Amino acid sequence: MLGGMRPLVVAHRGASEVLAEHTLGAYVAALDAGADGLECDVRLTADGHLVCVHDRHLRRIAQKRGLISTMELAELHQLDVASWKQPWADLDDEVPDLDEGLRGVLTLRKLMEVAADHDRRIELAIETKHPTRYGGLVEKRLVELLRDFGWDEAGAPVRVMSFSHTALQRVGRLAPQVRVVQLFEHAHYWPALRRMIGDDWVVGPGIGELTDHPGLASRLAESPHEVNVWTVNTQAQLDLCREVGVTAVVTDRPAHLRRLVDAGPAAQV
Ligand code: G3P
Ligand code: CA
């Protein structure tokens, strides 16, 4: 869809280039940087809580064995999922000490509270991860949580994203007013997806596919669907998104993209 509006700057897992992804610290930094929105991945714990985590296991973020889906929230709260990003921090006096409260696994409810309490409108882009042992229970719990916040209504500051078409259909059945974003990672999926998705669905290709397949870029520019793109970290990537009329760019570098977007196309050389 060709637009003319400035794209929203949505922080991918928070300010995740510099701070550990999905931590409260990374999200607060993104808000301080002027992000319009916050992206997060969500998974269900064994006791039914939605937590903000990308991987199904703890290896990368906590250097431990274990699956999010088999652990309870209290166990996850004991972990330090922030330190992996700066393993040398103990050796560097200039790295600020991390508040204990900012090290643990973040619940989606907490992130929603932070967004809702902020002094300007903050969009949440919530991605449900599949496959998972809990299947449709993830979207069921998510919609229940959205309802708690009154965010199942039209105009709510939230969009639900997934690579899983089935998951988004489920959201559509449970909460028809909630915006959904069909993510896809291969340009050649588009012709089939185009026929499957709802008229009002947003589409979410990766920037790599958009860059490598000019045909996809022009087809999306001509399509009636809004386009949100991930993960947009450079001027050239933003320029391409502008050509396509992208309405939201998901970025690891919210401060940098905030500056680029605010500078506007005319200021670019
Ligand atoms: O915003 C969508 C993007 O986050 C999808 O990829 O792997 O970073 O969750 P991933
Ligand atoms: Ca994601």
Side-chain angles (χ1 to χ4, degrees), residues 4 57 61 90 105 250:
H57 52 74
I61 59 168
D90 286 348
V105 170
V250 181

Side-chain angles (χ1 to χ4, degrees), residues 138-156:
V138 176
E139 283 74 31
K140 186 166 179 287
R141 282 274 190 278
L142 174 55
V143 168
E144 286 166 2
L145 192 51
L146 295 179
R147 282 205 189 105
D148 283 354
F149 283 70
W151 286 5
D152 57 329
E153 304 291 338

Side-chain angles (χ1 to χ4, degrees), residues 12 26 57 78 121 146 153 164 167 180 182 202 204 223 230 249 255:
H12 185 235
H57 52 74
Q78 301 304 316
R121 180 184 167 105
L146 295 179
E153 304 291 338
S164 164
V180 294
Q182 177 69 63
V202 181
S223 98
W230 48 278
V249 290

